[in-house]
Amino acid sequence: MLLFLLLSVVTLTYFWIGRRYSYWKQRSIPYVEPSFPLGNLQGLNKRHFGLLAQDVYSKLKETGGKFGGMFFFVNPVALILDLDFAKDVFVKDFQYFHDRGVYSNEKVDPITAHLVAMEGTKWKNLRAKLTPTFTSGKMKMMFPTITAVAEEFRKCMVNEVDKGQEVEMKEFLARFTTDVIGNCAFGLECNSLVDPEAEFRRMGRKALTPSPMGFLRRILSVTFRDAARALGVRISDPDVADFFMNVVKSTIEYRERNKVQRNDFMDLLIKLKNAESVDGNPSQLEALTFNEIAAQAFVFFIAGFETSSTAMTFCLYELAKNQELQDKARRNINEVLAKHGSMTYEAVHEMRYIENCINESLRKYPPLPNILRNVTKPYRVAGMNVTLEKDCRVLLPVYAIHHDAQLYPDPQQYDPDRFNPDQCAARHPMAFVPFGEGPRICIGQRFGMMQARVGLTYLLKNFRFTLSEKTPSPLNILANSTVLASEGGLWLKLQKL
């Protein structure tokens, strides 16, 4: 009887998996044949998720369809192939795709209940309330704080050069952005530049470098969200969660007790906690709980320091490879500073070639190589006899699009001139999406670009960068990393100017 039951279960499971893997075939959608148990994620432990999606994109692009089919484990995923369809998903028909499908569990893992993972009306209301933090006016107010940290960064780099050593730039840039975010978000001196093992830096590093099992748990939680919630799966590191909970709690208590106001991200969250107006209009949102505030502070910190430091790291690597481009970027900096007389908010935003360099870095090495959307209600695809069902996943393969030779000729070539106004105008708006697009575009885009501009301006003005023998060319992309990162860090030689 036991043997019969076991055989029955195995047989039913076999047919169920076969039926799942025929999902796209039944709908006459071109797809890449999956294999059990990972679907089209075979080799996930050896190649980054963004590169795996690029493989699927390359195989399906020639079909000429709006999207193709792939599988995360046994779950069907629609991989976007057509940029007009991408615009439909992210902008025109956003009401069908407003959720990211990111796993969160407020009860057992409260720090995951942040803006990136929130869904529906709750996300929409909170997004509207957080938006005032990222206006150009607020950015201008934070600018002196960023330049003060950048000056400390410059001194730190001078000390490294004096030691006559090559520098692992990814770590130093992450320490710079950690101190910037710590100041602008929490009003705290993180001291990462002085102490590489400062607690903020250590916890930031820990949050973004999960163990192989932790990385797999995150992938499984996104793929099987309902089961993960039912099982009470926790994806955040307990030490990291406890650290940020305590930092936020102590910061709020200190500010409210001493009536401290800094016009920063934490001030805004405190107002939302007390259901106060943050933009001059009556609050239409219920007071945020402490757990919700901690979650927003956590995601702003993690997203703010990592994506900007990644963009700057790859940018410096490419400029170190091409001294002519590096000289051109440095001339742009010096000309603008000579015109303005000092490092001002307006001066940094006038450095068009520096912006081109950052954008080309974001094209070639997008920090988030894929963007997921969840279908929130059945969606009839225009011009096709197919309906995307509720809870189906839709994937925008950012890395693959940014490396599509039809959109960017010779995509492996680093060419900042791709982002001159005439070339940008000639491209489809969805051909460059490092921050996403539409109503759910990265809320901190303006802040991230500003600190990247400032960081690169200080570095290129004061140092020349050349390649180190420790850094391979081309770079090897780290497999089990949330964001795109180079294996073994990124080592460069510095020369004081």
Side-chain angles (χ1 to χ4, degrees):
M1 179 62 73
L2 285 172
L3 183 60
F4 173 76
L5 287 172
L6 181 61
L7 286 171
S8 298
V9 169
V10 169
T11 302
L12 288 171
T13 302
Y14 176 81
F15 281 109
W16 178 77
I17 292 170
R19 183 173 178 79
R20 294 289 287 179
Y21 280 165
S22 67
Y23 183 90
W24 294 118
K25 185 177 182 180
Q26 291 173 5
R27 289 159 177 77
S28 300
I29 298 296
Y31 69 102
V32 173
E33 196 70 43
S35 55
F36 186 76
L38 298 181
N40 297 117
L41 300 181
Q42 298 293 339
L44 191 61
N45 62 328
K46 296 178 181 178
R47 299 188 74 219
H48 194 281
F49 183 26
L51 301 180
L52 295 178
Q54 184 189 28
D55 293 342
V56 178
Y57 177 89
S58 299
K59 291 174 182 176
L60 295 175
K61 187 70 165 63
E62 299 308 315
T63 63
K66 292 189 173 186
F67 67 92
M70 66 178 297
F71 294 85
F72 292 177
F73 298 89
V74 295
N75 291 336
V77 175
L79 183 108
I80 296 174
L81 303 171
D82 175 72
L83 296 184
D84 286 331
F85 180 58
K87 191 170 183 179
D88 289 345
V89 170
F90 281 76
V91 183
K92 181 172 173 283
D93 296 321
F94 176 76
Q95 68 269 27
Y96 292 89
F97 305 94
H98 52 69
D99 295 341
R100 293 183 188 272
V102 175
Y103 175 75
S104 66
N105 192 324
E106 289 185 66
K107 292 182 179 178
V108 301
D109 205 359
I111 210 163
T112 62
H114 45 64
L115 192 67
V116 173
M118 276 185 175
E119 299 181 340
T121 303
K122 192 171 185 180
W123 162 79
K124 185 178 180 181
N125 288 339
L126 185 58
R127 169 85 184 206
K129 291 301 178 185
L130 292 179
T131 297
T133 313
F134 300 97
T135 61
S136 56
K138 282 281 171 50
M139 295 302 100
K140 195 169 183 179
M141 289 173 62
M142 294 181 190
F143 187 79
T145 301
I146 297 174
T147 54
V149 177
E151 179 57 29
E152 291 302 311
F153 185 32
R154 183 194 65 78
K155 293 176 184 176
C156 184
M157 289 292 96
V158 168
N159 291 335
E160 290 301 309
V161 174
D162 290 342
K163 293 176 186 176
Q165 298 175 344
E166 296 166 329
V167 177
E168 201 286 279
M169 286 306 302
K170 177 65 177 74
E171 175 61 21
F172 272 100
L173 285 162
R175 284 157 62 183
F176 163 62
T177 53
T178 294
D179 282 1
V180 168
I181 297 292
N183 270 276
C184 293
F186 298 94
L188 298 175
E189 299 287 341
C190 298
N191 295 316
S192 299
L193 286 169
V194 176
D195 177 12
E197 292 304 314
E199 208 162 11
F200 262 95
R201 176 64 195 127
R202 200 161 49 81
M203 290 301 168
R205 195 186 298 126
K206 197 170 185 178
L208 286 164
T209 52
S211 65
M213 281 305 298
F215 180 70
L216 183 60
R217 187 164 64 246
R218 289 183 184 185
I219 295 291
L220 287 168
S221 297
V222 169
T223 307
F224 304 103
R225 285 198 306 161
D226 292 341
R229 284 200 182 110
L231 293 170
V233 172
R234 178 171 185 161
I235 60 171
S236 71
D237 184 288
D239 290 343
V240 173
D242 290 345
F243 170 74
F244 278 97
M245 288 284 191
N246 290 333
V247 166
V248 172
K249 183 179 180 183
S250 61
T251 302
I252 291 174
E253 288 177 349
Y254 176 81
R255 291 194 182 192
E256 291 191 327
R257 184 172 60 249
N258 296 284
K259 295 182 170 43
V260 174
Q261 283 194 319
R262 286 176 53 100
N263 292 314
D264 58 10
F265 188 63
M266 188 57 68
D267 263 6
L268 180 74
L269 291 177
I270 291 171
K271 287 181 179 179
L272 292 176
K273 177 182 78 73
N274 299 325
E276 297 175 16
S277 172
V278 296
D279 53 8
N281 297 316
S283 177
Q284 299 175 347
L285 188 68
E286 292 182 9
L288 293 187
T289 65
F290 167 74
N291 283 350
E292 288 171 330
I293 287 175
Q296 311 321 313
F298 168 73
V299 77
F300 179 48
F301 176 81
I302 295 298
F305 91 79
E306 183 62 22
T307 52
S308 294
S309 63
T310 297
M312 285 188 284
T313 300
F314 287 124
C315 187
L316 286 175
Y317 166 73
E318 291 290 348
L319 293 178
K321 282 173 64 178
N322 192 321
Q323 293 296 311
E324 186 180 335
L325 297 182
Q326 187 178 152
D327 288 337
K328 187 175 179 180
R330 192 173 290 110
R331 282 196 302 273
N332 181 223
I333 291 168
N334 291 331
E335 287 168 4
V336 173
L337 290 181
K339 175 183 173 183
H340 286 263
S342 63
M343 186 84 71
T344 63
Y345 179 81
E346 291 75 17
V348 168
H349 282 78
E350 201 174 302
M351 296 173 186
R352 304 300 181 201
Y353 193 73
I354 295 300
E355 183 173 353
N356 284 7
C357 290
I358 297 171
N359 283 335
E360 177 65 347
S361 174
L362 290 170
R363 179 203 65 84
K364 193 173 177 184
Y365 308 99
L368 293 178
N370 298 309
I371 300 176
L372 270 175
R373 285 290 185 266
N374 210 47
V375 181
T376 54
K377 51 187 175 182
Y379 177 75
R380 181 83 170 182
V381 181
M384 295 178 68
N385 186 28
V386 64
T387 297
L388 296 176
E389 299 173 338
K390 185 178 182 295
D391 289 330
C392 178
R393 298 294 175 81
V394 179
L395 182 76
L396 182 69
V398 177
Y399 185 91
I401 290 169
H402 286 189
H403 288 79
D404 188 330
Q406 293 180 359
L407 300 170
Y408 297 97
D410 194 8
Q412 293 304 321
Q413 177 70 28
Y414 179 83
D415 179 11
D417 288 340
R418 295 184 202 271
F419 289 90
N420 288 339
D422 57 332
Q423 291 205 38
C424 289
R427 276 194 301 269
H428 194 288
M430 294 299 294
F432 180 65
V433 282
F435 299 100
E437 190 51 87
R440 207 149 186 173
I441 193 170
C442 173
I443 194 171
Q445 174 183 357
R446 187 184 274 116
F447 182 89
M449 286 296 289
M450 181 172 72
Q451 69 172 338
R453 283 191 188 99
V454 172
L456 285 174
T457 298
Y458 268 81
L459 289 173
L460 291 170
K461 175 176 168 27
N462 292 288
F463 306 95
R464 177 172 297 280
F465 295 85
T466 54
L467 292 178
S468 162
E469 293 177 1
K470 294 182 182 179
T471 298
S473 183
L475 297 174
N476 299 316
I477 300 300
L478 195 62
N480 64 332
S481 174
T482 307
V483 299
L484 213 65
S486 60
E487 205 171 274
L490 205 151
W491 293 83
L492 295 176
K493 296 176 183 177
L494 278 69
Q495 174 193 346
K496 270 193 297 187
L497 297 176

